[in-house]
């Protein structure tokens, strides 16, 4: 009785399934995570966060400047309109005074 030891195929557990339809499982790849979370380095994540905050701050400042310019133009237009109405009112008053003098 010469019994030969059967060598096992190399695998993670030391044995392989004999079922041909079974595939070797692997770790789940989490591809839906945001890039900042995928990054392993904390400093890189903080740098990206600081850059994003700086960009947001710059955008908000530019937006505020644009709003201020629009508001300034609106104010100028309103002042011109009021001045024109005042001139028109004074001309009408002048015309009324001139008409009453003639009568």
């Amino acid at each position: 009785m010469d019994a030969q030891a059967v060598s096992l195929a190399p695998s993670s557990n030391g044995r392989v399934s004999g079922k041909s339809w079974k595939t070797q499982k692997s770790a789940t790849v989490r591809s839906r995570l945001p890039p900042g979370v995928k990054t392993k380095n904390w400093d890189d994540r903080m740098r990206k966060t600081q850059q994003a905050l700086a960009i947001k701050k710059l955008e908000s400042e530019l937006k505020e400047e644009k709003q201020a310019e629009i508001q300034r133009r609106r104010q100028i237009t309103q002042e011109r309109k009021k001045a024109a109405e005042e001139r028109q009112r004074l001309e009408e008053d002048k015309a009324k005074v001139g008409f009453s003098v003639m009568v």
Side-chain angles (χ1 to χ4, degrees), residues 14 16 19 21-22 38 40 50 55-56 69 76 79:
V16 177
K19 299 175 182 174
W21 64 87
K22 284 193 129 181
K38 282 184 183 178
K40 302 290 183 191
Q50 292 301 325
I55 289 171
K56 275 188 177 181
E69 179 66 22
I76 290 171
E79 288 173 2

Side-chain angles (χ1 to χ4, degrees), residues 19-36:
K19 299 175 182 174
S20 60
W21 64 87
K22 284 193 129 181
T23 58
Q24 182 68 30
K25 292 184 180 178
S26 61
T28 305
V29 177
R30 307 216 183 265
S31 61
R32 295 186 184 200
L33 292 175

Side-chain angles (χ1 to χ4, degrees), residues 26-48:
S26 61
T28 305
V29 177
R30 307 216 183 265
S31 61
R32 295 186 184 200
L33 292 175
V37 176
K38 282 184 183 178
T39 307
K40 302 290 183 191
N41 194 349
W42 174 259
D43 294 331
D44 288 344
R45 285 168 59 183
M46 287 288 90
R47 184 177 46 79
K48 287 178 184 177

